C-alpha cells in the first residue's frame, strides 16, 4: 500500500494593499504551493449568479447590484468603509461562504507540500492565525503602497489612504508574522530570490506533526 503524502505546511499570507502580496502568491505557486485566494473566492461568490448575490441584495438593496447581476464592489466598498455596522453585516454574509469554499479548495490540494491561504485581512479576522502553521507578511512602506495602487488602479491618494486606515497597522501585522518579505525598493527578480530562500526554509521545516 503506498504511503500517504505528508500533510502540507499551512501558510497564512497577508499584507496591506499594494504590498505585492499577489506577486508573492504567484511566485509561491510557481514553486509548487497550492494557493487558496480568498479574494478570488469572494469575487466568484459575488459575480452574476454568485451564491452570495441574493443575500446581499436582500441586506443592502438593489443599489449595490449591477445591471448584470453582480455585486457593485465599489459601491459596497464605500458603504462598508463609511459604516461599521454595514461592514459587519457584509462580513456576516460573505465570511461563512468564503470559509466553506476555502476548506473545499484546501482539501483538493492535500498532496501539495505547502498550502498558502492568501488572506488580505488575516490579522483583522482574528481566527486565521490559529488555522495556519505560519504567517507570512509581505511588507513595505505606506508611501510605496500608495504609489503602487495609484499607478495600477488609478485610485486617488485619499482613496488608498482610506483603505490603509481601515486595515490594521503595519506594526500590528508584523507582530503576528513568523516570516516577513520586505518588498520595498526591489524589483521582481530580487523579490523572487527572497521567495526562493523562504521556500527552501519551509521545505526544511515541514509541517508540524501535532
Amino acid at each position: 500500500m503506498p504511503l500517504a503524502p505528508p500533510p502540507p505546511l499551512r501558510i497564512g499570507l497577508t499584507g496591506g494593499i499594494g504590498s505585492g502580496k499577489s506577486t508573492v502568491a504567484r511566485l509561491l505557486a510557481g514553486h509548487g504551493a497550492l494557493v487558496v485566494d480568498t479574494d478570488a473566492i469572494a469575487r466568484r461568490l459575488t459575480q452574476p449568479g454568485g451564491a452570495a448575490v441574493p443575500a446581499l441584495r436582500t441586506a443592502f438593496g438593489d443599489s449595490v447590484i449591477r445591471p448584470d447581476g453582480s455585486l457593485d464592489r465599489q459601491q459596497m466598498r464605500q458603504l462598508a468603509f463609511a459604516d461599521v455596522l454595514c461592514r459587519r453585516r457584509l462580513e456576516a454574509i460573505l465570511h461563512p461562504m468564503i470559509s466553506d469554499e476555502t476548506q473545499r479548495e484546501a482539501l483538493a490540494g492535500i498532496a501539495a507540500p505547502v498550502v498558502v491561504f492568501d488572506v488580505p485581512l488575516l490579522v483583522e479576522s482574528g481566527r486565521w492565525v490559529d488555522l495556519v502553521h505560519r504567517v507570512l507578511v509581505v511588507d513595505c512602506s505606506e508611501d510605496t503602497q500608495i504609489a503602487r495602487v495609484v499607478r495600477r488602479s488609478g485610485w486617488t491618494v485619499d482613496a488608498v489612504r482610506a483603505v490603509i486606515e481601515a486595515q490594521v497597522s503595519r506594526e500590528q501585522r508584523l507582530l503576528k508574522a513568523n516570516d516577513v518579505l520586505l518588498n520595498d525598493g526591489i524589483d521582481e527578480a530580487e523579490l523572487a530570490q527572497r521567495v526562493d530562500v523562504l521556500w527552501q526554509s519551509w521545505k526544511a521545516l515541514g509541517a508540524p506533526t501535532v
Side-chain angles (χ1 to χ4, degrees), residues 33 57 79-80 88 113 116-117 139 175 178 181-182 191 200 208:
R57 187 190 298 273
L79 290 174
R88 288 174 182 167
V116 175
F117 297 93
D139 184 50
L175 282 174
N178 302 106
L181 281 173
L182 183 59
L191 179 62
Q200 297 306 321

Side-chain angles (χ1 to χ4, degrees), residues 34-85:
L34 170 72
V35 177
V36 180
D37 184 339
T38 58
D39 254 3
I41 291 171
R43 287 193 293 272
R44 291 200 300 271
L45 290 170
T46 57
Q47 67 186 6
V53 172
L56 293 169
R57 187 190 298 273
T58 298
F60 301 105
D62 291 336
S63 65
V64 302
I65 307 300
R66 298 172 63 86
D68 66 358
S70 65
L71 177 69
D72 187 329
R73 293 171 66 87
Q74 182 176 356
Q75 173 73 3
M76 191 73 253
R77 187 184 300 113
Q78 291 174 349
L79 290 174
F81 282 141
D83 185 342
V84 65
L85 293 179

Side-chain angles (χ1 to χ4, degrees), residues 72-110:
D72 187 329
R73 293 171 66 87
Q74 182 176 356
Q75 173 73 3
M76 191 73 253
R77 187 184 300 113
Q78 291 174 349
L79 290 174
F81 282 141
D83 185 342
V84 65
L85 293 179
C86 176
R87 183 162 69 248
R88 288 174 182 167
R89 205 180 336 154
L90 174 66
E91 291 169 350
I93 294 169
L94 286 180
H95 283 188
M97 293 184 177
I98 293 171
S99 179
D100 289 346
E101 183 62 15
T102 296
Q103 292 181 42
R104 188 193 68 77
E105 289 192 15
L107 286 173
I110 196 67

Side-chain angles (χ1 to χ4, degrees), residues 150-172:
V150 169
R151 184 170 61 249
R152 79 185 184 203
S153 303
W155 290 14
T156 66
V157 171
D158 287 344
V160 183
R161 288 193 189 279
V163 174
I164 292 173
E165 290 172 2
Q167 298 177 340
V168 298
S169 69
R170 183 181 181 185
E171 291 75 20
Q172 289 173 297

Side-chain angles (χ1 to χ4, degrees), residues 90-206:
L90 174 66
E91 291 169 350
I93 294 169
L94 286 180
H95 283 188
M97 293 184 177
I98 293 171
S99 179
D100 289 346
E101 183 62 15
T102 296
Q103 292 181 42
R104 188 193 68 77
E105 289 192 15
L107 286 173
I110 196 67
V114 175
V115 177
V116 175
F117 297 93
D118 183 346
V119 187
L121 303 182
L122 183 145
V123 175
E124 291 88 333
S125 73
R127 66 186 185 88
W128 273 102
V129 172
D130 296 325
L131 298 177
V132 297
H133 297 126
R134 300 182 71 82
V135 172
L136 167 60
V137 171
V138 184
D139 184 50
C140 66
S141 70
E142 184 173 310
D143 287 344
T144 299
Q145 289 180 268
I146 292 170
R148 284 178 180 154
V149 178
V150 169
R151 184 170 61 249
R152 79 185 184 203
S153 303
W155 290 14
T156 66
V157 171
D158 287 344
V160 183
R161 288 193 189 279
V163 174
I164 292 173
E165 290 172 2
Q167 298 177 340
V168 298
S169 69
R170 183 181 181 185
E171 291 75 20
Q172 289 173 297
R173 198 178 288 115
L174 289 171
L175 282 174
K176 297 294 184 180
N178 302 106
D179 302 292
V180 178
L181 281 173
L182 183 59
N183 184 25
D184 218 339
I186 62 174
D187 59 17
E188 188 170 327
E190 186 169 348
L191 179 62
Q193 291 177 355
R194 296 182 183 187
V195 169
D196 182 65
V197 170
L198 183 61
W199 180 261
Q200 297 306 321
S201 74
W202 288 346
K203 282 179 63 178
L205 183 66

